[in-house]
Amino acid sequence: MPASDISLPGMLFCFILLLIPILVSYYFKLQLIGSTLQSAFRMTIQLALVGFFLTFVFDLNNVILNITWVMVMVIVASHTVLKNAELKLQSLIAPLIISFTITNVGMLLYFNTLIIDLEDVFDARYFIPIGGMVLGNSLRANIVGINDFCDQIQRNENRYLSRLSLGAEKHEALMPYVKKSLRNALKPTLANMATIGIVFLPGMMTGQILGGSSPLVAIEYQIAIMVAIYVTTVMNVVLAILILMYRGFDEYGMFRKSMLKI
Amino acid sequence: MEIIRMERVSVTVKDETGDKLIFSDLHISVDRGEKVLIRGRSGIGKTTVFRLILGFTRPSSGGIYFEGRRADPDLFWEVRKRTAHISQDSDIGEGPVMALFGEVFSYSANRGKFSRDDLGALLLGFSLQEDVLTKKFENLSGGEKQRIAIIISLMTKKDIFLLDEITSDLDAALKEKVVDFFLARPEWTVLVISHDPEWEREGVRIIDFAEVVSKTKVGKHAGQ
């Protein structure tokens, strides 16, 4: 039993709800009316396009097209990470895309082959949404990790230099920052994993239940995807910080401040 | 034998207003085993000399030589392993002092250099109690921090010492003790930035910084 279609009047009732944030913004002079309308509009257009596009992709279910679409997601994700971390793109984008590709596609193949045992591992119905979930959920952790690392280096530059003059190699001197950034980046994902099901019902599980799956099947998928997200996040953050360690410092071991946007 | 030489070294730094000259045409040459005191008023760029030696600051022009070799990145990494840099604001870390020793001696360059006996003797020599090891570094007084930094640099067996105002927070008796200690070893090359007269001893070459550079950001007047 698939989820019932939302009718046009139903969608209208949905948009009417936006009057509440608009009134709140008006009353408190938040100056968010424009952004609210713009964001809602962008979301609608983007999702409509994706809806049509995915219908097309699912009907076609072509391996090359599916892989290409996941690659587009990887490139956009890498770009988003660097943009939000306020780093210049040119020096880091290529290694970041490569590392995201390896971790995410690797995880997708493992997931589809060994965990859910698909006959066609590139099946669009699994490959694309699961890829999107894994990638999307590791984004924030990457941004936190990279920001935290750059921030620590700049704030504690003296301590870093002291370690170098105490005989540390670059990687030895940076290790305390690496540890701290990794912990800070992974904490939200861990907290999320620990509260799932009680504090909130995750989107994928809700979607499956609405789509007619039994809650038991839905939780199996949810558990599997949470583990996949956590593991991919760990790998992505570690690789992103490693890339920063090697690309972000000159041959003297000094942090390349020119990499920062400001 | 000459160990460090700077030839016509100029340093500019970038800030909001553009490139700012710190000093230009610095000439300094130091022989192995020499003890050198660099004097000059605050802000004249003395600390920058130490940063240049460690490769933390790059000259905008001029050359830096170690034992006759022109410095390149690889050479700076070598120099850092031979050089102890102790400064007033040495920020070597936080947490229990013993853990700091643990970290420093886990670096591949320092592995196998730790000796508990040496540590005990040095603590005693610099008038520190054994229990300082269990205290948190950030809670120590300025003088205690400086002495811990000195002890770490001694235990890592360096032979070049860059000492930036390391006696400022010590009492008179300890100042004498630290000065004696660093001047006593003929094989050590010691460069000192200090306002303390305790360093002005026989055998210590005194360099007036204003006289070895041709221009500084604060004008051409000679230092006091």
Side-chain angles (χ1 to χ4, degrees), chain A residues 146-161:
Chain A
I146 290 181
N147 268 340
D148 194 86
F149 189 73
C150 293
D151 204 53
Q152 285 191 70
I153 295 291
Q154 292 178 83
R155 243 181 321 123
N156 301 319
E157 200 193 11
N158 258 341
R159 191 171 294 175
Y160 170 67
L161 297 181

mmCIF file of all heavy atoms in Angstrom, chain A residues 146-161:
data_model
loop_
_atom_site.group_PDB
_atom_site.id
_atom_site.type_symbol
_atom_site.label_atom_id
_atom_site.label_comp_id
_atom_site.label_asym_id
_atom_site.label_seq_id
_atom_site.Cartn_x
_atom_site.Cartn_y
_atom_site.Cartn_z
ATOM 1 N N ILE A 146 36.719 20.421 9.703
ATOM 2 C CA ILE A 146 37.658 21.305 9.009
ATOM 3 C C ILE A 146 37.728 22.667 9.684
ATOM 4 O O ILE A 146 38.810 23.206 9.930
ATOM 5 C CB ILE A 146 37.264 21.452 7.520
ATOM 6 C CG1 ILE A 146 37.516 20.121 6.801
ATOM 7 C CG2 ILE A 146 38.027 22.573 6.853
ATOM 8 C CD1 ILE A 146 37.199 20.153 5.333
ATOM 9 N N ASN A 147 36.557 23.216 10.020
ATOM 10 C CA ASN A 147 36.545 24.522 10.690
ATOM 11 C C ASN A 147 37.300 24.479 12.000
ATOM 12 O O ASN A 147 38.094 25.356 12.310
ATOM 13 C CB ASN A 147 35.099 24.943 10.997
ATOM 14 C CG ASN A 147 34.535 25.772 9.881
ATOM 15 O OD1 ASN A 147 35.289 26.331 9.090
ATOM 16 N ND2 ASN A 147 33.238 25.859 9.814
ATOM 17 N N ASP A 148 37.015 23.440 12.781
ATOM 18 C CA ASP A 148 37.622 23.310 14.092
ATOM 19 C C ASP A 148 39.139 23.222 13.972
ATOM 20 O O ASP A 148 39.881 23.868 14.703
ATOM 21 C CB ASP A 148 37.064 22.038 14.744
ATOM 22 C CG ASP A 148 37.362 21.984 16.213
ATOM 23 O OD1 ASP A 148 36.574 22.550 16.976
ATOM 24 O OD2 ASP A 148 38.378 21.378 16.597
ATOM 25 N N PHE A 149 39.600 22.447 12.992
ATOM 26 C CA PHE A 149 41.036 22.250 12.795
ATOM 27 C C PHE A 149 41.712 23.575 12.426
ATOM 28 O O PHE A 149 42.698 23.981 13.055
ATOM 29 C CB PHE A 149 41.246 21.208 11.697
ATOM 30 C CG PHE A 149 42.656 20.751 11.540
ATOM 31 C CD1 PHE A 149 43.238 19.925 12.477
ATOM 32 C CD2 PHE A 149 43.406 21.153 10.445
ATOM 33 C CE1 PHE A 149 44.548 19.494 12.336
ATOM 34 C CE2 PHE A 149 44.711 20.734 10.291
ATOM 35 C CZ PHE A 149 45.283 19.898 11.236
ATOM 36 N N CYS A 150 41.157 24.287 11.435
ATOM 37 C CA CYS A 150 41.749 25.563 11.011
ATOM 38 C C CYS A 150 41.741 26.561 12.156
ATOM 39 O O CYS A 150 42.695 27.311 12.368
ATOM 40 C CB CYS A 150 40.978 26.166 9.841
ATOM 41 S SG CYS A 150 41.121 25.211 8.345
ATOM 42 N N ASP A 151 40.637 26.532 12.899
ATOM 43 C CA ASP A 151 40.491 27.444 14.002
ATOM 44 C C ASP A 151 41.541 27.212 15.088
ATOM 45 O O ASP A 151 42.171 28.149 15.578
ATOM 46 C CB ASP A 151 39.094 27.179 14.575
ATOM 47 C CG ASP A 151 38.569 28.366 15.311
ATOM 48 O OD1 ASP A 151 38.580 29.437 14.700
ATOM 49 O OD2 ASP A 151 38.170 28.210 16.485
ATOM 50 N N GLN A 152 41.731 25.937 15.436
ATOM 51 C CA GLN A 152 42.703 25.610 16.475
ATOM 52 C C GLN A 152 44.115 25.998 16.080
ATOM 53 O O GLN A 152 44.882 26.514 16.883
ATOM 54 C CB GLN A 152 42.699 24.105 16.726
ATOM 55 C CG GLN A 152 41.534 23.606 17.493
ATOM 56 C CD GLN A 152 41.792 22.181 17.890
ATOM 57 O OE1 GLN A 152 42.629 21.896 18.727
ATOM 58 N NE2 GLN A 152 41.108 21.262 17.259
ATOM 59 N N ILE A 153 44.471 25.727 14.808
ATOM 60 C CA ILE A 153 45.812 26.059 14.348
ATOM 61 C C ILE A 153 46.066 27.544 14.493
ATOM 62 O O ILE A 153 47.132 27.975 14.920
ATOM 63 C CB ILE A 153 45.964 25.697 12.851
ATOM 64 C CG1 ILE A 153 45.855 24.216 12.653
ATOM 65 C CG2 ILE A 153 47.287 26.205 12.293
ATOM 66 C CD1 ILE A 153 47.001 23.470 13.197
ATOM 67 N N GLN A 154 45.061 28.333 14.133
ATOM 68 C CA GLN A 154 45.277 29.772 14.188
ATOM 69 C C GLN A 154 45.281 30.288 15.608
ATOM 70 O O GLN A 154 46.061 31.159 15.955
ATOM 71 C CB GLN A 154 44.186 30.479 13.404
ATOM 72 C CG GLN A 154 44.318 30.206 11.935
ATOM 73 C CD GLN A 154 43.218 30.873 11.178
ATOM 74 O OE1 GLN A 154 43.294 32.046 10.870
ATOM 75 N NE2 GLN A 154 42.165 30.136 10.937
ATOM 76 N N ARG A 155 44.391 29.740 16.434
ATOM 77 C CA ARG A 155 44.309 30.234 17.800
ATOM 78 C C ARG A 155 45.503 29.784 18.630
ATOM 79 O O ARG A 155 45.980 30.515 19.490
ATOM 80 C CB ARG A 155 43.007 29.770 18.450
ATOM 81 C CG ARG A 155 42.120 30.922 18.806
ATOM 82 C CD ARG A 155 40.838 30.515 19.480
ATOM 83 N NE ARG A 155 40.248 29.316 18.935
ATOM 84 C CZ ARG A 155 39.983 28.252 19.658
ATOM 85 N NH1 ARG A 155 40.279 28.232 20.930
ATOM 86 N NH2 ARG A 155 39.414 27.202 19.095
ATOM 87 N N ASN A 156 45.976 28.574 18.375
ATOM 88 C CA ASN A 156 47.081 28.040 19.187
ATOM 89 C C ASN A 156 48.374 27.956 18.393
ATOM 90 O O ASN A 156 49.117 27.008 18.533
ATOM 91 C CB ASN A 156 46.736 26.641 19.706
ATOM 92 C CG ASN A 156 45.485 26.655 20.535
ATOM 93 O OD1 ASN A 156 45.292 27.562 21.329
ATOM 94 N ND2 ASN A 156 44.630 25.668 20.344
ATOM 95 N N GLU A 157 48.613 28.957 17.536
ATOM 96 C CA GLU A 157 49.791 28.849 16.684
ATOM 97 C C GLU A 157 51.072 28.718 17.501
ATOM 98 O O GLU A 157 51.947 27.926 17.188
ATOM 99 C CB GLU A 157 49.888 30.054 15.742
ATOM 100 C CG GLU A 157 50.780 29.754 14.556
ATOM 101 C CD GLU A 157 51.168 30.984 13.773
ATOM 102 O OE1 GLU A 157 50.935 32.117 14.246
ATOM 103 O OE2 GLU A 157 51.722 30.804 12.679
ATOM 104 N N ASN A 158 51.139 29.495 18.604
ATOM 105 C CA ASN A 158 52.329 29.441 19.447
ATOM 106 C C ASN A 158 52.623 28.044 19.954
ATOM 107 O O ASN A 158 53.769 27.614 20.018
ATOM 108 C CB ASN A 158 52.134 30.344 20.662
ATOM 109 C CG ASN A 158 52.875 31.636 20.492
ATOM 110 O OD1 ASN A 158 53.781 31.705 19.657
ATOM 111 N ND2 ASN A 158 52.505 32.638 21.251
ATOM 112 N N ARG A 159 51.547 27.353 20.331
ATOM 113 C CA ARG A 159 51.742 26.012 20.878
ATOM 114 C C ARG A 159 52.238 25.056 19.796
ATOM 115 O O ARG A 159 53.096 24.215 20.037
ATOM 116 C CB ARG A 159 50.428 25.507 21.479
ATOM 117 C CG ARG A 159 50.613 24.263 22.285
ATOM 118 C CD ARG A 159 49.382 23.892 23.038
ATOM 119 N NE ARG A 159 49.065 24.876 24.052
ATOM 120 C CZ ARG A 159 47.952 24.818 24.791
ATOM 121 N NH1 ARG A 159 47.093 23.852 24.614
ATOM 122 N NH2 ARG A 159 47.725 25.739 25.707
ATOM 123 N N TYR A 160 51.692 25.244 18.599
ATOM 124 C CA TYR A 160 52.146 24.419 17.470
ATOM 125 C C TYR A 160 53.626 24.670 17.204
ATOM 126 O O TYR A 160 54.419 23.726 17.062
ATOM 127 C CB TYR A 160 51.286 24.745 16.241
ATOM 128 C CG TYR A 160 51.787 24.157 14.949
ATOM 129 C CD1 TYR A 160 51.790 22.782 14.746
ATOM 130 C CD2 TYR A 160 52.264 24.978 13.930
ATOM 131 C CE1 TYR A 160 52.254 22.243 13.571
ATOM 132 C CE2 TYR A 160 52.730 24.441 12.745
ATOM 133 C CZ TYR A 160 52.720 23.079 12.568
ATOM 134 O OH TYR A 160 53.190 22.548 11.398
ATOM 135 N N LEU A 161 54.022 25.939 17.176
ATOM 136 C CA LEU A 161 55.427 26.264 16.919
ATOM 137 C C LEU A 161 56.319 25.754 18.041
ATOM 138 O O LEU A 161 57.427 25.275 17.796
ATOM 139 C CB LEU A 161 55.590 27.786 16.745
ATOM 140 C CG LEU A 161 54.847 28.388 15.555
ATOM 141 C CD1 LEU A 161 55.104 29.884 15.460
ATOM 142 C CD2 LEU A 161 55.235 27.699 14.250
#
